[in-house]
Amino acid sequence: MGVRRRLVAVISGVGLLASVVACGGSDSGGGSAASGTITLWQYYGDPSSPTGKPLYDLVKKYDDAKPDVTVDVRFIPYDDFNRTLLQSAAAKELPDVALIGAFDTATMASAGIITDLSDRTKDWGQQDKYFETSWATTQVDGKTYGVPHVADAYAVYYNKQLLQQAGVKPPTTWAEMETAAKTLTTQGRTGLAISGIEGPEGATVPIIRMLAAGAAIDKVDSPEAKAGLDQLTRMITAGSISQGALTWNEEDAKNQFANGKAAMMINSATYVNILRKENPKLQWDVALLPKDKSGQTFLSAENLAIGATSKNPDGAWDLISWLQQPAELQTYLPVRNKLAARNDVPDSSNDPVRKVFAQQLEEAWAPDEKLAPKSSEVMTHIQAALQASASGSASTEDALKTAQKAIDESLAK
């Protein structure tokens, strides 16, 4: 996908579904050489898309190296992906390999859609090669249900020419960010572009800001969370962040920055190659996120999992482990415009921008095992707090109290 999105909850009746597919059981370790057909479902894109083609090319390389194997790749649009897995689980027609959102892993494991890989990963012995936050997204009740495929991080893009003209340096604290954004705001241009659209996607920057203040994302009625949301609200009220950001997705924020209508933006590494291709004359660079108590980024990632009713689990594991070879990732990641989820993959691009994102990834946040299954709901409540506070329909304190009540109800389900 050109835009990093997250789970829109479609999984219900978890207990019933788990019993329906329980015959898939816990996947045992070991296995023989791969053979036969291996089905792979993914939501990156079709073979002609800039996000889909790199994956198809990588899988073809595996396919060509395995004369006894045929990999059947199926593209399912993101908005339909989890629903399709749910329906296929009930019919016991799940794929051998599913490329899923990292934060969906716990929900799908609990629903019996994907199988336990603990024995396989133990024999594989590669767990320590992964960033701790990435590997944690695969863990459910002490068991491993996936292998991290790629990762993405958020940082600050800035227009070098505009900052230089205004005598502004890339901000290193959030106080500096507010001042810089105000200075860079002129008629027809805002200082900072973000996505604040309704739903989980619009919660990314509020979460980043709250984390910087030292807030816990499941406890947003705290002074730390209020300080973070207060500042974003002030910036929107002052025009340093456009009121339109409340309707923008990440693609929209990118367009504002690319067209010179925003001097800075907070966005993911997804847009590095896109900006270079679409706006080759734009002079821009990337800086680490501002720090207060922390400078954590939001981890965006996907995991590779084996379907609970896979007809070829040995082949599925062979494909997954092959795709995670550092030598293959070293070539694949720059083309896919993603970062390594493991720490032993040199960046073959020698790209200073990618190095900043890789450095940012070392300080990444992701929902823990308790929060992950409800992360989409929790993020939606946080975006609603931003919407209420920034629109003036509620004070920041009241907006966060409302969000906290909704979060508590979500987590209690």
Side-chain angles (χ1 to χ4, degrees):
M1 297 187 307
V3 178
R4 187 269 310 128
R5 298 176 185 165
R6 304 183 190 92
L7 173 66
V8 177
V10 299
I11 295 179
S12 59
V14 167
L16 175 61
L17 180 59
S19 65
V20 169
V21 299
C23 61
S26 173
D27 192 75
S28 61
S32 56
S35 62
T37 298
I38 304 169
T39 54
L40 167 62
W41 291 4
Q42 52 84 24
Y43 53 75
Y44 279 173
D46 61 43
S48 64
S49 70
T51 51
K53 186 178 185 301
L55 180 63
Y56 279 90
D57 289 346
L58 181 62
V59 170
K60 183 179 184 302
K61 188 176 180 182
Y62 168 85
D63 208 340
D64 290 345
K66 304 278 183 171
D68 296 329
V69 172
T70 299
V71 183
D72 179 10
V73 184
R74 178 183 176 188
F75 164 56
I76 302 170
Y78 180 81
D79 290 343
D80 299 325
F81 193 82
N82 290 317
R83 185 181 301 107
T84 302
L85 282 178
L86 176 69
Q87 294 167 346
S88 300
K92 300 181 182 178
E93 296 178 349
L94 287 163
D96 298 310
V97 179
L99 191 151
I100 61 177
F103 304 160
D104 302 350
T105 305
T107 303
M108 292 187 179
S110 298
I113 292 175
I114 56 178
T115 196
D116 178 10
L117 303 179
S118 300
D119 290 340
R120 291 188 186 272
T121 56
K122 183 179 179 181
D123 292 343
W124 189 41
Q126 298 288 305
Q127 301 95 310
D128 292 343
K129 301 297 184 182
Y130 287 82
F131 290 112
E132 184 177 347
T133 304
S134 292
W135 191 258
T137 66
T138 70
Q139 302 300 295
V140 183
D141 295 332
K143 298 177 181 178
T144 302
Y145 282 88
V147 172
H149 177 49
V150 298
D152 203 349
Y154 288 73
V156 179
Y157 290 75
Y158 63 92
N159 185 308
K160 294 195 293 184
Q161 187 175 21
L162 294 178
L163 265 67
Q164 185 178 21
Q165 290 173 350
V168 172
K169 294 182 179 180
T172 59
T173 68
W174 275 95
E176 290 178 4
M177 171 62 85
E178 186 171 1
T179 299
K182 183 177 181 180
T183 301
L184 291 161
T185 298
T186 63
Q187 188 172 3
R189 186 184 73 218
T190 58
L192 178 66
I194 66 172
S195 167
I197 194 171
E198 181 179 357
E201 187 171 335
T204 302
V205 173
I207 286 174
I208 287 172
R209 181 61 191 96
M210 290 178 186
L211 289 169
I217 302 308
D218 60 344
K219 298 293 181 184
V220 297
D221 59 346
S222 65
E224 293 84 2
K226 181 177 181 298
L229 194 61
D230 266 339
Q231 186 179 45
L232 291 179
T233 298
R234 283 198 310 270
M235 293 174 72
I236 292 173
T237 302
S240 302
I241 297 174
S242 172
Q243 188 80 26
L246 298 174
T247 65
W248 292 346
N249 60 26
E250 290 172 0
E251 180 82 11
D252 296 325
K254 181 270 295 182
N255 290 337
Q256 292 290 314
F257 180 75
N259 295 330
K261 294 181 179 179
M264 300 180 290
M265 73 168 173
I266 295 176
N267 223 324
S268 76
T270 296
Y271 295 103
V272 171
N273 289 347
I274 293 173
L275 277 174
R276 287 170 172 165
K277 182 178 180 180
E278 293 180 351
N279 301 76
K281 294 183 179 180
L282 188 68
Q283 300 177 39
W284 59 275
D285 207 340
V286 173
L288 297 174
L289 289 168
K291 286 192 174 185
D292 283 345
K293 291 185 178 178
S294 82
Q296 287 177 290
T297 191
F298 189 104
L299 174 71
S300 179
E302 289 85 46
N303 292 338
L304 293 163
I306 296 180
T309 59
S310 166
K311 297 178 177 61
N312 191 356
D314 288 341
W317 176 252
D318 191 72
L319 173 60
I320 289 173
S321 56
W322 187 92
L323 292 174
Q324 282 301 296
Q325 293 180 107
E328 301 303 334
L329 290 170
Q330 190 174 8
T331 303
Y332 168 69
L333 291 168
V335 181
R336 181 59 184 88
N337 215 29
K338 291 288 185 178
L339 305 171
R342 49 189 297 161
N343 58 24
D344 60 348
V345 182
D347 187 355
S348 60
S349 69
N350 198 29
D351 184 339
V353 170
R354 285 178 58 82
K355 289 183 186 300
V356 173
F357 277 105
Q359 182 181 349
Q360 185 70 74
L361 187 62
E362 294 177 8
E363 193 172 2
W365 175 88
D368 60 19
E369 188 175 324
K370 172 189 172 185
L371 186 58
K374 301 293 182 180
S375 61
S376 190
E377 294 178 36
V378 170
M379 293 176 201
T380 298
H381 300 321
I382 290 173
Q383 187 281 335
L386 172 66
Q387 183 83 34
S389 180
S391 67
S393 64
S395 67
T396 302
E397 184 175 4
D398 287 343
L400 288 172
K401 284 182 179 178
T402 299
Q404 187 63 56
K405 181 179 179 181
I407 288 171
D408 289 341
E409 291 174 352
S410 293
L411 296 178
K413 291 178 183 176

